[in-house]
């Protein structure tokens, strides 16, 4: 006889990942992509306007980071869907505006800043924007939807019983 207290795998709901572990993964994955993005923006800015370079790199890094965050940072166990990509793009737009504004402010105060100064300002603004992005991604984009998670096991159960009755 099985205990009624033990949940069957099909009725168990996934637990939200630990916020500290998620933040550490976010910093490692997002920070790593951020450092590479900083280098890419600098290289592209040699041939394109800085804002255009930043927009191209932000778009590419957002696609990559959304996939990484869906799979590893927030442990959804699946690839990011269109909804997650669009919502993540919204928070990335805010980050783009923050980094672009910071670098333009640097250029207003120092007409010819060095590459190191640009990198420090870009990565600092990116890091601050990253804190906001983590909050938005954790609480909104990749949050476990209680209604959806509770409905899915019932639908799977209904599908199994329908198949069993049809055979």
């Amino acid at each position: 006889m099985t205990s009624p207290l033990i949940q069957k795998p099909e009725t168990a709901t996934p637990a939200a990942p630990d916020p500290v572990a998620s933040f550490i993964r976010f910093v490692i994955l997002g920070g790593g992509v951020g450092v590479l993005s900083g280098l890419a923006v600098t290289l592209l800015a040699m041939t394109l306007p800085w804002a255009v370079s930043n927009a191209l790199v932000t778009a590419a890094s957002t696609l990559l980071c959304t996939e990484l965050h869906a799979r590893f940072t927030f442990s959804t166990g699946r690839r990011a869907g269109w909804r997650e990509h669009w919502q993540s793009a919204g928070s990335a737009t805010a980050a783009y505006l923050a980094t672009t504004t910071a670098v333009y402010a640097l250029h207003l105060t120092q007409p010819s800043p060095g590459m190191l100064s640009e990198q420090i300002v870009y990565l600092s603004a990116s890091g601050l924007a990253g804190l906001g992005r983590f909050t938005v991604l954790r609480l909104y984009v990749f949050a476990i939807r209680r209604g959806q998670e509770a409905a899915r096991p019932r639908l799977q159960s209904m599908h199994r019983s329908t198949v069993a009755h049809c055979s």
Side-chain angles (χ1 to χ4, degrees):
M1 177 174 196
T2 60
S3 169
L5 299 177
I6 298 175
Q7 287 187 330
K8 296 178 185 174
E10 67 217 20
T11 61
T13 56
D18 176 43
V20 174
S22 291
F23 184 73
I24 291 169
R25 288 189 297 265
F26 181 84
V27 169
I28 291 169
L29 296 172
V33 171
V35 169
L36 293 175
S37 295
L39 296 173
V41 167
T42 302
L43 293 174
L44 276 175
M46 292 179 185
T47 58
L48 297 170
W50 196 91
V52 172
S53 301
N54 191 22
L56 292 172
V57 170
T58 297
S61 65
T62 299
L63 288 171
L64 174 61
C65 280
T66 301
E67 286 298 325
L68 291 172
H69 293 323
R71 293 179 187 201
F72 304 110
T73 303
F74 301 107
S75 305
T76 63
R78 60 178 176 78
R79 293 186 62 181
W82 285 107
R83 180 189 64 80
E84 289 93 354
H85 277 291
W86 280 112
Q87 291 173 338
S88 183
S91 66
T93 300
Y96 165 79
L97 292 172
T99 56
T100 301
T101 301
V103 171
Y104 276 129
L106 171 67
H107 282 269
L108 286 175
T109 59
Q110 291 182 343
S112 292
M115 191 182 300
L116 180 62
S117 296
E118 273 188 353
Q119 283 298 297
I120 290 170
V121 168
Y122 173 82
L123 291 174
S124 298
S126 184
L128 289 173
L131 292 173
R133 273 183 50 81
F134 174 78
T135 304
V136 168
L137 294 176
R138 176 161 173 80
L139 298 178
Y140 183 68
V141 177
F142 295 110
I144 293 175
R145 309 275 188 278
R146 297 290 181 225
Q148 289 174 346
E149 291 303 322
R152 191 167 49 190
R154 280 184 290 192
L155 290 175
Q156 290 171 346
S157 170
M158 286 173 43
H159 174 70
R160 284 190 191 111
S161 65
T162 304
V163 170
H165 285 63
C166 292
S167 1

